[in-house]
Amino acid sequence: MTTANDPIKSIQSRIDELEQTISDRGEQIKARTRQLKEDLQEELSPVEMLRRHPLEATGVSFVTGIVAGRVIRSLFSPKRQPAAVETTQARPQTFQANQPSPIAVAAGAIGAELLHTAKDLAITWLKSQVESKKRKG
């Protein structure tokens, strides 16, 4: 009777080995997937992108600020009407200061802030370049 059970035991032991192998491989795949996810998140993080491409990031933010300022200014600036020529009656000259609209003031403040940010990014990048050259030399 022991000879009849031997093939069944060997098959069962082989099944157990295969289940263990599958389980181990599954854990390896999960670990690799987690590592790949972490590597991708680190590689594509905004901080890492700024660190690797500081000049490009500064240029993009500068151009974006200029374009955004012009778009905002064109959307919210008062429309200018052509001056009508009055020949019958002359109006007295009065000086009225053109008061900028609150939106124009805000757009100017945003533009100034973007320029300050670009300047700060450039200075930070220069400092890091100088420090890295000091460490190498």
Side-chain angles (χ1 to χ4, degrees):
M1 254 203 185
T2 57
T3 59
N5 281 340
D6 286 340
I8 293 174
K9 286 183 180 179
S10 69
I11 291 173
Q12 184 63 39
S13 67
R14 182 67 181 145
I15 289 172
D16 291 340
E17 288 175 19
L18 289 173
E19 286 177 349
Q20 184 62 38
T21 304
I22 290 170
S23 175
D24 291 344
R25 298 288 180 180
E27 289 300 318
Q28 289 175 352
I29 289 172
K30 286 180 184 177
R32 287 180 185 169
T33 304
R34 272 187 243 111
Q35 184 64 38
L36 180 63
K37 179 182 174 185
E38 290 171 4
D39 290 347
L40 280 175
Q41 285 178 340
E42 182 179 312
E43 194 72 22
L44 298 177
S45 73
V47 173
E48 186 63 30
M49 295 293 276
L50 281 173
R51 190 171 292 136
R52 277 190 279 136
H53 307 287
L55 292 176
E56 291 87 349
T58 303
V60 167
S61 66
F62 180 74
V63 170
T64 302
I66 289 174
V67 170
R70 288 182 182 240
V71 167
I72 290 171
R73 188 178 307 140
S74 69
L75 288 175
F76 296 109
S77 66
K79 305 295 182 212
R80 295 186 179 169
Q81 306 261 334
V85 178
E86 293 184 17
T87 57
T88 57
Q89 239 181 358
R91 290 188 177 173
Q93 293 278 339
T94 58
F95 292 102
Q96 294 178 352
N98 289 338
Q99 296 293 325
S101 69
I103 294 174
V105 172
I110 290 171
E113 193 63 36
L114 285 172
L115 288 173
H116 288 292
T117 303
K119 176 198 67 143
D120 291 341
L121 280 172
I123 290 173
T124 303
W125 179 77
L126 280 172
K127 284 181 181 178
S128 69
Q129 292 298 315
V130 168
E131 289 175 6
S132 68
K133 288 190 180 198
K134 281 183 181 179
R135 282 186 228 136
K136 288 180 183 177

